[in-house]
Amino acid sequence: MTSLRPRRRTLLRAAPLALATGALTPVLASCTRASERLDAESNAVPEVDLSGIEEVPEISALVPADIRARGELVNGAALNYAPGEFVGSSGRAIGYDIDILAGIGAVLGLATRTEAAVFAQIIPAVGSTYDVGMSSFTVNEERLAAVDMVSYFQAGISYAVKAGNPYDIHPDDLCGKRVALQVGTYQEELSIERSQECRDQGLGGYDMLAYASNSDAATNVAGGKGDILMADSPVTAYAVARSRGTLEPIGEIEESALNGIVVSKDQPELAEAIRVAVQHLIDDGHMERILAAWGNEAGMIPTAEVNPQP
């Protein structure tokens, strides 16, 4: 069942994602050993060695003088979106966005610092409180009217099922199926609409299993309580990578869109410096290495752009 709504990806972040913070806890005591293994494995957070990324003088020379003099690039991020950006057991910001930012900083000869922020308040504060906003922002026309955005990743909606797909689930035919997702997300909103479409056609609606976190949704699909996990593609990929073979991806990524690093329109030189730094990470293989460590190399893009077409 395919939605006819305009293509976009998750916008809502009502509940923190606990996929890699050790909070992947079974909802029911009857969950299988497969889901328990998923819980244990999800505690493993990759440590990406960034020591091989060095300053590139011709790129660092593009950094505006005031930021170069300060020696630090300050980022605002909503730290509730594993595996993009979240809080690790040490209390520090971690995730593939944080590692990519550190790589960008290394190329530019800058230290990087991420400050926790409310998602909706990041963009208005870029250019004053923060130099950049790197928090899994989807590139769209509304944002491009307000800020510059440097593309670095691509994401959408994706699915996973229990390994072997024992219930013979197909993402394009979920009427009457048990769809596990996180409450308060775009996936929940979309599932409600698609479920109504099923009923309008005289079919059974979705049996929606809405959990407080995507981690709980993933756990219960691995354990057989849910038929299919529906989540943002980075979240699904990370869940599969950490599942020790108890989950497998299925279907194509839907509503795929670019993610972008937010820069103030008053700082075009900084946007260009970041674009060139991102392209350097892509061309030298560092970007793929970082994303692969987080199970998200499928989100690689070949070319970084300032203000790409949404």
Side-chain angles (χ1 to χ4, degrees):
M1 183 71 58
T2 303
S3 172
L4 299 179
R5 67 167 43 234
R7 297 167 65 84
R8 64 183 177 123
R9 66 172 291 245
T10 295
L11 300 177
L12 306 180
R13 297 184 180 194
L17 303 187
L19 186 55
T21 59
L24 211 143
T25 305
V27 172
L28 299 178
S30 61
C31 284
T32 66
R33 290 181 181 178
S35 64
E36 291 170 0
R37 287 197 299 273
L38 178 57
D39 292 345
E41 180 65 9
S42 67
N43 287 323
V45 173
E47 292 186 9
V48 184
D49 183 7
L50 303 176
S51 61
I53 305 176
E54 299 180 346
E55 180 179 355
V56 180
E58 58 267 33
I59 301 178
S60 61
L62 301 174
V63 176
D66 58 335
I67 296 176
R68 191 163 62 246
R70 189 203 313 151
E72 182 180 56
L73 195 65
V74 182
N75 173 46
L79 302 178
N80 61 356
Y81 187 69
E85 51 279 325
F86 59 108
V87 179
S89 58
S90 66
R92 297 186 313 155
I94 60 174
Y96 62 75
D97 273 353
I98 307 305
D99 286 339
I100 294 170
L101 179 70
I104 292 169
V107 173
L108 298 179
L110 300 172
T112 58
R113 173 165 53 92
T114 293
E115 296 185 357
V118 176
F119 186 72
Q121 296 176 1
I122 297 172
I123 288 180
V126 169
S128 53
T129 304
Y130 316 117
D131 298 311
V132 298
M134 192 169 184
S135 192
S136 300
F137 284 104
T138 301
V139 177
N140 61 36
E141 292 180 357
E142 181 181 1
R143 288 172 179 154
L144 290 176
V147 293
D148 287 338
M149 302 187 78
V150 180
S151 58
Y152 68 99
F153 186 72
Q154 190 153 2
I157 298 171
S158 65
Y159 303 86
V161 295
K162 188 174 182 179
N165 195 9
Y167 309 121
D168 193 26
I169 301 299
H170 300 278
D172 59 350
D173 182 20
L174 296 180
C175 297
K177 301 300 190 295
R178 301 173 298 173
V179 180
L181 45 79
Q182 182 190 359
V183 67
T185 61
Y186 175 50
Q187 283 80 23
E188 182 181 36
E189 174 189 340
L190 188 59
S191 291
I192 291 171
E193 295 186 5
R194 291 182 177 180
S195 183
Q196 184 60 52
E197 291 174 6
C198 290
R199 289 192 292 270
D200 290 345
Q201 295 183 25
L203 304 172
Y206 286 20
D207 181 5
M208 285 175 48
L209 306 177
Y211 296 93
S213 69
N214 275 307
S215 56
D216 287 340
T219 292
N220 283 281
V221 171
K225 178 175 172 57
D227 293 325
I228 189 167
L229 170 68
M230 181 182 184
D232 281 357
S233 57
V235 175
T236 302
Y238 191 55
V240 170
R242 293 289 173 266
S243 73
R244 289 190 175 181
T246 61
L247 290 174
E248 66 179 50
I250 189 170
E252 302 295 326
I253 294 178
E254 300 175 0
E255 306 194 13
S256 184
L258 291 169
N259 284 5
I261 302 167
V262 175
V263 184
S264 170
K265 284 194 176 295
D266 294 333
Q267 291 273 26
E269 299 89 353
L270 178 59
E272 177 61 10
I274 290 173
R275 184 199 68 78
V276 178
V278 170
Q279 192 63 53
H280 176 79
L281 295 178
I282 293 171
D283 294 342
D284 277 20
H286 299 301
M287 182 71 77
E288 184 175 15
R289 182 167 57 86
I290 292 170
L291 291 173
W294 292 96
N296 268 278
E297 61 271 31
M300 276 278 297
I301 62 173
T303 306
E305 299 178 82
V306 177
N307 298 336
Q309 182 68 30

